[in-house]
Amino acid sequence: MPTPFRHTEPLPPKAATGRVAEVYAQAARDFGIPEPAPFVVLSSAPALVAPAWALMRESLLAGPGDRTGKEVAAFGVSQANKCRFCVDAHTMLLHATGDHALAERLARGREPADERHARVLDWARRTRVPGAAREPYPFPPEEAPGYLGTVLAFHFINRVVSSLVTENLLPADAQRLRPVRSLAGRSLSRTVRRTPVPGASLPLLDDPGRGPAWAAGTPVGPAYAALSATAPMGA
């Protein structure tokens, strides 16, 4: 039977224990997707999957800044990195936020109608080039941990997905059809519109430290510090 994975065969999620099982439990509760492929594919390396999940959770899901804006940022990063799986996922998640018009504009290759979203999208795309997305940022300073954490999380996740996960978000590439991606997004709307409690992923990390100054003491900092320390070691 075909799987969504390339070059690897992760253990079935039902076999997960310890930190990996808790990542799946948090993903089901806070992300609305019980077994997200980008984390399943890393499940053989608990020390890596935990901080990868933590950075995404604490920035995109629980961090400062509105979810729609951060989804636009994640879309922009994924588009710049040519990660089709992630581009389609964030299009679907934008539907889940309730901004269906924005989701479809992006799906059709158009720029956001809202000026702020357009600036966020442009900024996120430019983060692919070191030094090209400097201040002033297109969001208030107090939202920097959420936005910066989101783009950094997806620069990592995009590369994992592009290497180890197929491009098809849904079977038969069904997400390419507008009714399907809209309906799939709506099925996640209750979870997406609920902000999780910040910091719940931090107990999964091994003594991560406080993190960089831009994280401003939020849980994004330890999550970023943990992933920064672990990612260079590989799986």
Side-chain angles (χ1 to χ4, degrees):
M1 179 181 296
T3 77
F5 307 111
R6 296 188 284 199
H7 315 304
T8 186
E9 295 182 10
L11 287 174
K14 288 183 174 57
T17 59
R19 281 192 289 183
V20 176
E22 179 58 23
V23 166
Y24 293 155
Q26 289 191 10
R29 182 186 68 231
D30 299 334
F31 195 36
I33 302 173
E35 300 161 5
F39 301 107
V40 174
V41 80
L42 293 175
S43 60
S44 62
L48 186 57
V49 70
W53 161 252
L55 182 56
M56 192 194 82
R57 182 196 185 277
E58 301 304 334
S59 56
L60 177 66
L61 310 187
D66 74 278
R67 179 66 182 270
T68 300
K70 289 184 291 183
E71 286 293 345
V72 170
F75 179 99
V77 170
S78 301
Q79 190 178 58
N81 289 328
K82 296 181 171 60
C83 180
R84 183 180 144 192
F85 178 102
C86 295
V87 165
D88 288 345
H90 294 295
T91 303
M92 189 175 75
L93 288 164
L94 280 166
H95 274 292
T97 69
D99 202 329
H100 305 293
L102 173 59
E104 287 307 306
R105 285 184 72 91
L106 295 181
R108 295 172 183 176
R110 300 171 65 188
E111 297 298 297
D114 180 89
E115 182 182 350
R116 187 176 71 87
H117 288 153
R119 288 189 287 113
V120 167
L121 181 62
D122 175 67
W123 168 79
R125 287 168 175 159
R126 287 187 288 111
T127 63
R128 190 174 190 275
V129 179
R134 299 180 184 275
E135 298 182 58
Y137 296 130
F139 41 78
E142 62 271 17
E143 295 180 359
Y147 277 93
L148 294 174
T150 293
V151 299
L152 290 167
F154 282 96
H155 276 301
F156 176 78
I157 291 170
N158 289 166
R159 285 158 174 79
V160 170
V161 170
S162 294
S163 300
L164 300 175
V165 180
T166 67
E167 291 186 339
N168 296 345
L169 177 65
L170 297 176
D173 231 9
Q175 77 283 349
R176 310 302 290 177
L177 301 173
R178 176 178 178 172
V180 173
R181 60 179 174 257
S182 176
L183 182 61
R186 290 170 195 269
S187 73
L188 297 171
S189 61
R190 181 173 296 181
T191 302
V192 167
R193 298 179 199 184
R194 182 182 69 240
T195 302
V197 176
S201 68
L202 299 189
L204 301 174
L205 307 179
D206 294 324
D207 191 25
R210 288 181 55 82
W214 57 258
T218 66
V220 177
Y224 174 77
L227 185 58
S228 295
T230 308
M233 301 178 187

